[in-house]
Amino acid sequence: MSSSDEPDAVRPGWENFAERPVPEVHGATTAPEAELAGVLQRRHEELAAARGASASAATRVHATLFELAMLVGTLEQQVNRTWEPREAVDEKLRHRELKNVKDRMLDVLRGAGVEVRDPKGLTADEVLDWADPVHWLQSPEFDAEVVAETNEYAVFHDGAVVRFAQVVMGAPAPAPAPASKAEPEPEAPPEPDPRVKPEPDAEMPSPGQTPAPTDT
């Protein structure tokens, strides 16, 4: 029997279907073009914020440089005064003025996140990541490998090294090699006593005497 022969009572009709509510959708659907435009807009905003941060950082750097330039001019005045006669400028006052300018310059740098470090006296392990040895000195005055002299200070920015220090490293002097012992010279044989007549090793035949036959 084909399906067309089935009674109408078993065929589903619209009355057999129940209406169900449409699931609620949170937010309206967005077209792909609108979503792409939103992504580009957010990207532009992030770039604008990054440019603003860079501009602010550049402004702070310029302000730091300008203040340092002023302090360098003050330092030049103090250095020029060192040529004046000692009677005109007290040595302690001169030292205090120079130290004051130096401290102000370091304060300006610290305010910009810049730190200057002197590695002198530190061990090799302590300066391994921020100092470059340019020369080595070996001397008994050093108990370990340490920085003996600082040619150029290290510079840090926000805790990270941006310029390595140039240093002279000191190291203990190598232990002297043990001296080799000289072998003693062989003693010369004693001189024979002329008063003692040496014994012959074997009895020699006299001239014209036939030697005795030997057993074979």
Side-chain angles (χ1 to χ4, degrees):
M1 181 182 288
S2 63
S3 59
S4 60
D5 297 333
E6 294 180 358
D8 294 339
V10 298
R11 293 179 180 178
W14 288 110
E15 65 276 5
N16 298 112
F17 294 93
E19 184 179 355
R20 293 184 299 177
V22 178
E24 183 180 357
V25 178
H26 297 282
T29 57
T30 306
E33 296 82 359
E35 186 174 357
L36 179 59
V39 172
L40 293 176
Q41 179 63 29
R42 289 192 296 271
R43 180 59 177 168
H44 286 312
E45 293 174 354
E46 293 174 356
L47 290 175
R51 292 192 193 98
S54 299
S56 299
T59 301
R60 290 194 299 271
V61 170
H62 290 162
T64 300
L65 290 176
F66 297 153
E67 191 167 358
L68 284 176
M70 180 272 298
L71 291 172
V72 169
T74 304
L75 180 62
E76 184 181 16
Q77 291 179 343
Q78 302 299 334
V79 171
N80 291 336
R81 294 187 62 186
T82 59
W83 293 102
E84 299 179 8
R86 293 189 176 184
E87 294 78 8
V89 181
D90 182 68
E91 289 294 330
K92 292 184 179 179
L93 176 60
R94 176 180 296 168
H95 177 270
R96 185 163 59 249
E97 290 175 345
L98 291 174
K99 184 178 182 302
N100 180 55
V101 176
K102 182 265 297 182
D103 292 340
R104 291 173 61 188
M105 296 177 72
L106 292 179
D107 289 340
V108 171
L109 292 174
R110 293 190 190 99
V114 179
E115 181 186 0
V116 180
R117 297 185 188 177
D118 180 6
K120 184 176 181 179
L122 299 180
T123 63
D125 292 338
E126 293 175 305
V127 301
L128 180 64
D129 298 330
W130 53 280
D132 283 334
V134 297
H135 189 62
W136 283 84
L137 294 176
Q138 291 184 333
S139 173
E141 65 177 300
F142 301 113
D143 298 330
E145 294 181 354
V146 298
V147 179
E149 300 177 8
T150 301
N151 293 347
E152 295 181 4
Y153 287 8
V155 180
F156 289 75
H157 181 247
D158 291 338
V161 59
V162 294
R163 185 179 179 86
F164 277 57
Q166 304 295 315
V167 301
V168 177
M169 297 295 298
S180 58
K181 295 182 179 180
E183 296 183 0
E185 296 181 0
E187 297 181 358
E191 294 290 337
D193 191 349
R195 297 172 298 176
V196 178
K197 185 177 181 181
E199 296 180 359
D201 294 339
E203 185 176 356
M204 301 295 294
S206 58
Q209 182 181 0
T210 301
T214 59
D215 298 335
T216 59

